Amino acid sequence: MMSHIVALSSVRRRCIIILSIVLVPCAILNLLSSSDVHEETMLQNNIAELQVKLEHLHAKYISSQEEINILSHQLLQLVESNHILPDLQYLINNGTSNITNIKLPSIYNFLPHFLNDPNSLRPAFLQSKGRSGVSMVLGIPTVKREVQSYLMATLKNLIDRMSPAEILDTLIVVLVAETDLDYVTYVAKQIEVQFPNEYETGVIDVISPSSSYYPQLSKLRDTLGDDHQRVVWRSKQNLDFAFLMSYAQTKGMFYIQLEDDILAKKNFITTMKSFALQKVSTKENWFVLDFCQLGFIGKLFKCVELPWLIQFFLMFHNDKPVDWLLDHLISTKVCNLDKDSKHCKMAKAELWIHYKPSLFQHIGTHSSLKGKVQKLKDKQFGKITLYYAHENPDAMVETQIKPYKQYTLKKAYKGESFFWGLLPQPGDHLKFTFTHSIFIKRYLFRSGNPEHPSDRFYNTTVEVLPEMFRSVDRNNNDITEDGYIIVGKFDALGIAQGTVDKKYGRISVLRLTVHSESENWAILSEIHVVEDQPS
């Protein structure tokens, strides 16, 4: 009890110190000349960032006080039952004289099943290096999809679109919203293997809820005329978002809700942070900044205001979809029932601010709801690059893999489109026979594309056939029965890149060989063979 009171006093002192830090620059700002616009903007952003951090600290103070009040109530009950040491009674009686006996409703009133298991509100799985205090927390919920998963492609895209400085100031939280710990562990291991640097530096946290976190979903009320399967799906999504936000709210200044099947624009972190700080510095009373026009993608909130959403989602999880609940929450805040819908729309626009052009695009076709196919696209995002064109050495191309429609290997090699092949089988080849044998400096094959990230080449090797067979060591294990040298293979992200040692001399043929059956079709979205000059 004494340690909590000391901690509370310490939090109060920090709040006063930081408040003075914020107010002093505000006075200095008024003295700046109008010519120093750039410096003034930077100073305003710094002040805005301090203001958000102050709000974050104040939220911690409220949380600490709440814990102290709970402890105080518990100690008072011990006093009344004579189960407390006499020398603490004076402190308790003087420190809790203003505590009311009125008990406010809590989330247990709406979800009483939380009381059945003390672990219901704790992550069942947590993989984290403890990163916190960042500017941006990206929340990505994911579930097991029947058709294909987009998660790894989404994480790769997000990380690739961030600068090193942005990565240092960002935390990505992946919520695997499944209670099968074997599957959760499998996803976490995939992330660890495919993103080793981000795993080691704590850029990505992976969490999952306990099975006792969810109520009996089969007993949910059917609402809005939806079939029960859809009611369960959207109700669980509300609970998943609330769990993810609850974990993320103490980790940083701003929280951005994303999905596991999206693309982002380059430097999206800096764009969002600058826009948010600009709105803070001009003292606009916003609640959500919207960086995507679709669903709940790209919605940014102050972490200190997440409790509004968390409580609302938990209270009404069985009633409406998550994006509808967000709209209703904002309507409740500002819409006047005595005025028309036009006034309501204008009032909501002040709290829900849209940024254009969109920073995120939805790429998933197969929804996490079984049987649902969705092709939602944000028209403000712009055109998505589906293939990369290069000028490759002249070659004759051939493959046993049947192309889909006009997406042939020949067009892909010429940079006119991408190759899209139907279900590669073991032993299938993609062969490039050069018109004149060449020295290969480097090669790059990229499989999959943003719209079909899982259509990759798996367990496929890159092989070359030297012009002069006698230069090859036949005892080498990296040589195939027909004399090809294995120089590389596709990695877990569907990319094969490397160099070809000049000791092999001129290369007459380069080929890809598939070694196992694929459950998906396969796309080659980039083919780049760079010719080297003989030394």
Side-chain angles (χ1 to χ4, degrees):
M1 175 68 183
M2 289 297 294
S3 63
H4 278 78
I5 293 174
V6 171
L8 177 59
S9 300
S10 175
V11 171
R12 283 172 173 163
R13 286 196 300 272
R14 290 199 298 271
C15 284
I16 293 171
I17 292 170
I18 291 187
L19 182 59
S20 65
I21 292 172
V22 171
L23 293 178
V24 170
C26 288
I28 295 173
L29 181 60
N30 294 328
L31 301 177
L32 290 175
S33 65
S34 58
S35 61
D36 297 328
V37 177
H38 179 67
E39 292 184 7
E40 181 177 343
T41 301
M42 290 183 59
L43 185 55
Q44 285 176 336
N45 284 343
N46 290 338
I47 293 170
E49 192 166 348
L50 284 171
Q51 288 174 332
V52 177
K53 288 181 178 179
L54 177 61
E55 292 175 355
H56 188 69
L57 184 58
H58 181 68
K60 286 186 176 181
Y61 163 72
I62 295 297
S63 178
S64 298
Q65 190 164 22
E66 178 187 8
E67 292 178 4
I68 290 172
N69 284 347
I70 292 172
L71 284 172
S72 298
H73 279 297
Q74 292 173 343
L75 288 170
L76 280 174
Q77 291 175 349
L78 290 174
V79 168
E80 293 172 357
S81 60
N82 295 320
H83 286 95
I84 191 166
L85 296 175
D87 57 353
L88 290 178
Q89 289 188 11
Y90 176 80
L91 175 62
I92 295 168
N93 291 334
N94 285 275
T96 60
S97 59
N98 62 338
I99 294 178
T100 177
N101 287 325
I102 295 175
K103 182 174 176 58
L104 295 173
S106 70
I107 203 60
Y108 297 109
N109 295 95
F110 304 101
L111 292 165
H113 72 279
F114 284 163
L115 297 170
N116 298 333
D117 187 341
N119 295 314
S120 59
L121 295 177
R122 297 172 185 165
F125 180 92
L126 173 60
Q127 180 174 284
S128 171
K129 299 290 185 178
R131 177 178 286 205
S132 63
V134 297
S135 293
M136 315 299 278
V137 183
L138 310 181
I140 304 177
T142 187
V143 295
K144 184 186 294 185
R145 294 175 184 260
E146 288 195 350
V147 180
Q148 62 176 315
S149 172
Y150 304 91
L151 177 62
M152 298 303 157
T154 294
L155 291 174
K156 179 73 164 59
N157 176 263
L158 291 174
I159 292 168
D160 287 348
R161 296 301 185 180
M162 284 190 264
S163 68
E166 288 175 323
I167 290 176
L168 287 174
D169 200 26
T170 300
L171 172 66
I172 301 173
V173 181
V174 177
L175 168 69
V176 185
E178 300 286 351
T179 56
D180 179 355
L181 281 180
D182 288 338
Y183 177 75
V184 176
T185 304
Y186 166 74
V187 174
K189 189 63 178 178
Q190 271 194 315
I191 293 174
E192 179 183 346
V193 171
Q194 296 192 28
F195 305 98
N197 293 334
E198 289 73 23
Y199 169 78
E200 287 298 329
T201 54
V203 177
I204 304 175
D205 281 7
V206 182
I207 62 172
S208 74
S210 166
S211 59
S212 59
Y213 171 71
Y214 299 104
Q216 292 188 40
L217 298 176
S218 61
K219 294 185 177 181
L220 290 171
R221 293 175 292 106
D222 290 343
T223 56
L224 302 180
D226 288 343
D227 62 70
H228 190 69
Q229 182 186 22
R230 187 177 183 87
V231 171
V232 169
W233 173 75
R234 58 176 170 79
S235 298
K236 180 179 177 297
Q237 187 179 61
N238 287 331
L239 296 170
D240 292 341
F241 278 34
F243 191 91
L244 179 52
M245 291 176 176
S246 298
Y247 175 83
Q249 64 178 324
T250 61
K251 302 294 184 180
M253 290 195 302
F254 300 113
Y255 174 82
I256 302 91
Q257 184 69 48
L258 299 175
E259 292 186 4
D260 64 351
D261 52 356
I262 61 163
L263 293 177
K265 287 190 174 177
K266 192 171 182 61
N267 297 326
F268 67 98
I269 291 292
T270 297
T271 302
M272 291 191 298
K273 181 179 177 181
S274 298
F275 189 69
L277 291 178
Q278 186 263 327
K279 295 300 178 185
V280 172
S281 66
T282 54
K283 302 188 184 305
E284 295 185 41
N285 186 31
W286 59 274
F287 183 73
V288 54
L289 302 181
D290 197 344
F291 295 92
C292 181
Q293 307 305 307
L294 300 175
F296 218 112
I297 300 171
K299 307 299 183 277
L300 181 148
F301 309 90
K302 296 177 184 175
C303 283
V304 296
E305 293 184 344
L306 286 178
W308 285 87
L309 289 163
I310 295 167
Q311 293 282 1
F312 207 72
F313 292 165
L314 292 177
M315 288 169 58
F316 299 105
H317 69 278
N318 191 183
D319 298 294
K320 292 186 177 181
V322 65
D323 48 342
W324 290 17
L325 291 180
L326 173 61
D327 185 81
H328 288 320
L329 173 57
I330 293 179
S331 297
T332 301
K333 278 177 167 287
V334 296
C335 288
N336 188 334
L337 295 180
D338 294 332
K339 297 186 178 181
D340 59 19
S341 60
K342 182 179 179 180
H343 176 272
C344 177
K345 185 176 181 180
M346 292 175 62
K348 285 166 61 178
E350 294 182 2
L351 287 190
W352 190 330
I353 300 174
H354 293 269
Y355 177 91
K356 297 179 182 179
S358 297
L359 298 183
F360 303 98
Q361 178 64 286
H362 180 260
I363 60 170
T365 301
H366 302 280
S367 170
S368 55
L369 174 60
K370 184 178 180 180
K372 180 183 178 185
V373 176
Q374 53 188 12
K375 298 183 179 181
L376 299 175
K377 299 296 177 187
D378 191 331
K379 296 179 180 179
Q380 295 181 9
F381 182 81
K383 188 176 180 180
I384 297 175
T385 301
L386 297 179
Y387 68 93
Y388 300 89
H390 297 286
E391 187 174 341
N392 293 309
D394 291 340
M396 181 180 69
V397 303
E398 56 183 312
T399 181
Q400 303 100 316
I401 303 172
K402 185 179 179 180
Y404 174 66
K405 294 185 177 180
Q406 75 275 17
Y407 301 106
T408 64
L409 184 60
K410 183 177 181 179
K411 286 186 176 181
Y413 190 74
K414 289 184 175 181
E416 298 173 358
S417 181
F418 55 88
F419 169 67
W420 202 356
L422 279 60
L423 295 174
Q425 301 296 312
D428 284 347
H429 299 296
L430 294 86
K431 185 184 291 187
F432 309 90
T433 303
F434 300 112
T435 305
H436 304 286
S437 58
I438 63 172
F439 289 93
I440 296 178
K441 185 175 183 179
R442 62 179 182 274
Y443 62 85
L444 168 63
F445 294 94
R446 187 186 307 275
S447 63
N449 67 20
E451 290 189 346
H452 302 277
S454 296
D455 285 6
R456 303 175 186 162
F457 280 94
Y458 302 91
N459 194 16
T460 300
T461 53
V462 181
E463 303 163 357
V464 295
L465 181 65
E467 185 180 39
M468 303 297 290
F469 285 92
R470 62 176 178 271
S471 64
V472 177
D473 179 6
R474 292 284 179 173
N475 295 320
N476 193 324
N477 292 329
D478 290 333
I479 297 178
T480 65
E481 292 182 358
D482 53 354
Y484 281 81
I485 303 170
I486 300 173
V487 294
K489 63 180 181 179
F490 283 77
D491 61 21
L493 295 176
I495 297 173
Q497 57 185 330
T499 60
V500 178
D501 199 316
K502 277 193 174 183
K503 70 180 182 181
Y504 298 129
R506 291 182 175 275
I507 303 300
S508 57
V509 183
L510 184 150
R511 77 178 182 188
L512 309 180
T513 300
V514 179
H515 296 281
S516 59
E517 186 174 355
S518 177
E519 297 180 356
N520 302 319
W521 294 5
I523 287 175
L524 271 183
S525 54
E526 184 171 11
I527 303 173
H528 194 196
V529 180
V530 180
E531 187 174 357
D532 198 1
Q533 298 301 319
S535 55

